[in-house]
Every structure is written in C-alpha cells, then in structure tokens.
Amino acid sequence: MISRKNASISKFIIHKVGNKFNDTKNAFSEKLVDFDEPSYDLMLPFLLRPFGSVVQSYRFNHHANISLNEINSYSTQIFNDEEAFIDVSKHIVTHLFEQSTSAQIKTGDVLVVMFEGIEFNEITTNALGIFKIENKVNFFQTYLENNSYDVLVQKGISSKKVDKGCIILNQTDTEGNIILSVDNNSYDAQYWLNQFLNIKYADDANNHTQQYIELCKDFSTEILKTTYGAQEQNTFLAKTIDFFKENEVVNIERFKDELFEEDKHKNLFDDYKKTFEDENNIVIRNQFDVAESVVNKEKKKIKTDIKLDTNIQIKLDIDAPDASAEYLERGYDDEKKMHYYKVFFNVES
C-alpha cells in the first residue's frame, strides 16, 4: 500500500478511448490539464485513495521478453524523458483501444498522470498513473434564468471511486517495476490486467499469503460446508486465521497437522489444493513468510455466520476458533425431523 500524504500531481492529461467493435474512435488532448485549486484538491485524493488499502503488487509480464511489454516500454520512456509525456500518453490510449476485443468493453475517459512524492515501503518515488473512467453518474445542476432558478440533469464523473486504475512506481526490485492496480468493474478484469497491462502478481509474501487464504476459503466452502456443514466450515476458517496470526512462517505440513485430526481430511485438502492450483494456473509454495497486512485484510472479509432456514442466525467469533467445538453442538431431532444446534453459555450479555 502507498501513502499519499506528500503526494502531488505534476502532469495530467485526459484522452477518450473508443471501441473498434462499436465504431467509436479515440479522441486525444494536445495540452495538459491546468487545475484550479478546488479541482486539484478533489482530484488528487480521488485518484490515490483506492491504493491506500492495496497490499498486493504486480510486475510486468511478457511471454518472450519483458522489454516487449508495451506499458513497461511506455512508462520507461516517460520516466526517462518527461517531455515525451503527452505523446507517450497517446500511445498508451491507442494500446488500450487495441485491446478492446469485445463489444462489451466500454468506452470512456483515460487519465494519464505523473505523481511525485509517492511513499511505498518507506521509499519516496515518482509514479505513472493510468485511469479509465467508464461510468458517468447523473447529477442536478441549478442555474439562474430570467430571475428564477431552474434545474437540469447532467452526466459527470463520480468523485467516490475510479472504475479502473494502476500506478506504476519508478521503483524496481528483482522482478522489475512495482505496480498497483484496482478494478471496481471486474466484469472485464482480464482485459485490464492481462491484455492491457499484461501484469502478474509479485512473487512475494503478500501473494503467497493471499493465495493460501483463498485456497482455504474455497476449500471450506466447496468441501467442508458441503460435506460437514457450516459449523465445520467456520471453525476451519477461524483456525486458519489463528494459525496465520500465530506464525511468521507457514509450513503446509505443519498447517495440516494443526488443523486436521484425521488423515482423510488431510488427503481431502491435498486433493483440493491440486485442483485449485490447476484451475488458477498457480503453484502454492510448501513454505512461505506470512504477510500480516494481507491476513488482517482477509480476516475482515470472512463471514462466520450460520444462517438457518428458520430465520435464525448464529454468529461465531473468528478470534475464538475453539469456541465452536466446545460450546456448540449439532444434532438431529427424530421427533421434529429437523437438525438443531445446542449452545452452551454462562451469562447472556
């Protein structure tokens, strides 16, 4: 994640991207935007706010040579020669246009931005931002005419969130430039990530932690909940988060020993892991460092409610993984022909 407290915009230009399938053309600006103070004060946080909570980063990808990645090449040109900013920004939009391989891909405004003072991992750097605005919102505009106020509806860009955006930091590690990306219209995520940017997740603790937690979440839903019920699913997820919180390094064999009492459950997990890797075209490491920021973020997303068809919900505390096994019992009532949960407690609060 980045810090924007000292960030500023040094260059900003707006182009329009069309869609070859809809016979809409690109439209290019020739000059940079000259902000007034209110517009600038609204635009800077609008663009950077989404990246304040992004913990996973990407790197450029190419099947043959990374230097042939178009956005990698264009960003390098701009970092090396900022006078080329306007011309190269047009090439970026043309490249985006060429990736519109479906009529469903929307046209929109493309904002190409140079940032200064971006802080990432305690290092301050400049960065190139590329944003696509696909959706306009309706808003009311009041105006004075003949000594009376009237109202009309206009369309504009919402200042709440960007549709698609990436920030390419002018900072590298052993894998290349560090890239952050957001996409709030994920119906065409492959178009943005794979075709336009052509990026892949970084080979780091953030990615390894994210992939493993995703594996555990899917396993809990597709295997545990289906076979053993929601209680087993939620207990497993709570113990998974607890394991990640208590260990700086995850070893898969140790993980299975702590979470599964029976070998058959370990085998189920191993079989599902192979399926998960094949379907997502990834390989999950047998040992990796834990990224605490990813664990904290994923913990907030996990729902541990047991929803019953009798309009009753049981909420389990994800921070108390053993409570479910100790104080919650599941059974079947032969007389009512219904399943039931028995909850033990001392005091109501």
Side-chain angles (χ1 to χ4, degrees):
M1 59 186 69
I2 65 169
S3 171
R4 56 185 173 89
K5 62 180 181 180
N6 296 317
S8 62
I9 296 172
S10 60
K11 296 182 187 300
F12 185 105
I13 196 165
I14 303 173
H15 304 297
K16 299 275 187 178
V17 65
N19 184 309
K20 62 180 74 174
F21 285 86
N22 297 333
D23 198 30
T24 52
K25 306 299 183 182
N26 297 333
F28 298 110
S29 298
E30 298 299 333
K31 294 182 179 180
L32 301 177
V33 172
D34 185 14
F35 287 104
D36 58 27
E37 187 173 346
S39 299
Y40 180 89
D41 290 343
L42 189 62
M43 181 63 73
L44 181 61
F46 165 66
L47 297 178
L48 293 181
R49 189 185 303 114
F51 299 94
S53 58
V54 172
V55 294
Q56 283 185 278
S57 63
Y58 296 85
R59 302 297 182 272
F60 285 118
N61 185 39
H62 195 275
H63 68 276
N65 189 314
I66 203 69
S67 63
L68 300 177
N69 180 298
E70 288 87 346
I71 301 302
N72 179 32
S73 174
Y74 295 145
S75 60
T76 299
Q77 290 180 52
I78 290 176
F79 289 142
N80 291 338
D81 180 14
E82 290 196 17
E83 295 301 316
F85 178 81
I86 294 177
D87 288 338
V88 176
S89 72
K90 296 177 183 178
H91 297 326
I92 290 172
V93 173
T94 300
H95 175 59
L96 181 61
F97 175 82
E98 291 301 323
Q99 310 316 308
S100 59
T101 55
S102 167
Q104 294 181 337
I105 294 175
K106 297 179 180 179
T107 61
D109 298 334
V110 179
L111 319 179
V112 185
V113 187
M114 276 298 298
F115 296 103
E116 306 292 335
I118 299 289
E119 295 180 22
F120 180 83
N121 288 347
E122 300 181 351
I123 295 176
T124 301
T125 184
N126 60 337
L128 175 67
I130 306 170
F131 304 87
K132 185 184 179 189
I133 308 299
E134 299 175 327
N135 297 310
K136 300 291 180 71
V137 298
N138 293 327
F139 65 93
F140 292 108
Q141 179 68 52
T142 59
Y143 64 96
L144 181 64
E145 186 175 20
N146 297 327
N147 296 321
S148 295
Y149 281 98
D150 207 340
V151 64
L152 58 83
V153 176
Q154 293 182 323
K155 282 186 174 293
I157 299 172
S158 170
S159 61
K160 292 183 178 180
K161 63 180 181 180
V162 298
D163 292 314
K164 288 176 168 59
C166 76
I167 291 180
I168 304 161
L169 301 180
N170 192 13
Q171 177 185 342
T172 62
D173 58 15
T174 57
E175 296 183 83
N177 283 86
I178 299 165
I179 307 157
L180 305 176
S181 180
V182 295
D183 187 352
N184 288 305
N185 293 337
S186 56
Y187 69 92
D188 57 355
Q190 299 308 308
Y191 148 77
W192 179 255
L193 293 175
N194 293 347
Q195 295 170 277
F196 171 58
L197 295 174
N198 193 3
I199 53 180
K200 62 181 180 180
Y201 279 120
D203 184 18
D204 60 11
N206 289 329
N207 183 37
H208 303 150
T209 303
Q210 180 76 42
Q211 287 179 346
Y212 201 84
I213 292 178
E214 289 296 333
L215 163 66
C216 292
K217 286 163 62 177
D218 288 1
F219 173 76
S220 74
T221 301
E222 297 185 21
I223 304 300
L224 294 182
K225 184 178 182 180
T226 302
T227 308
Y228 303 104
Q231 182 182 0
E232 288 293 329
Q233 175 196 23
N234 292 327
T235 299
F236 171 78
L237 289 174
K239 288 185 176 181
T240 296
I241 294 299
D242 192 55
F243 184 90
F244 273 80
K245 297 288 285 186
E246 291 185 354
N247 293 275
E248 295 182 355
V249 176
V250 167
N251 178 278
I252 289 185
E253 293 304 318
R254 184 182 169 200
F255 173 85
K256 292 187 296 183
D257 287 340
E258 289 199 17
L259 268 73
F260 302 116
E261 295 181 0
E262 300 182 35
D263 288 339
K264 66 177 182 179
H265 294 155
K266 296 179 184 179
N267 294 334
L268 282 173
F269 186 78
D270 287 336
D271 291 341
Y272 188 83
K273 176 176 175 288
K274 293 176 183 177
T275 302
F276 182 86
E277 290 175 322
D278 290 341
E279 290 179 350
N280 292 279
N281 194 28
I282 59 174
V283 176
I284 294 178
R285 294 191 178 189
N286 291 325
Q287 183 166 303
F288 55 88
D289 294 334
V290 171
E292 184 179 357
S293 57
V294 175
V295 177
N296 292 334
K297 186 175 182 180
E298 289 303 308
K299 174 184 171 183
K300 296 176 182 177
K301 297 180 183 179
I302 294 176
K303 306 298 183 183
T304 55
D305 296 351
I306 301 176
K307 297 181 179 180
L308 309 177
D309 59 1
T310 50
N311 299 317
I312 294 174
Q313 293 186 31
I314 302 172
K315 183 175 178 61
L316 306 178
D317 188 346
I318 196 170
D319 290 319
D322 296 323
S324 173
E326 187 172 354
Y327 303 120
L328 189 66
E329 290 184 8
R330 190 176 190 269
Y332 185 80
D333 188 295
D334 290 323
E335 184 176 339
K336 290 189 175 183
K337 306 298 183 185
M338 297 175 70
H339 297 283
Y340 66 82
Y341 279 105
K342 184 188 291 185
V343 182
F344 296 90
F345 64 94
N346 292 313
V347 180
E348 291 187 18
S349 60

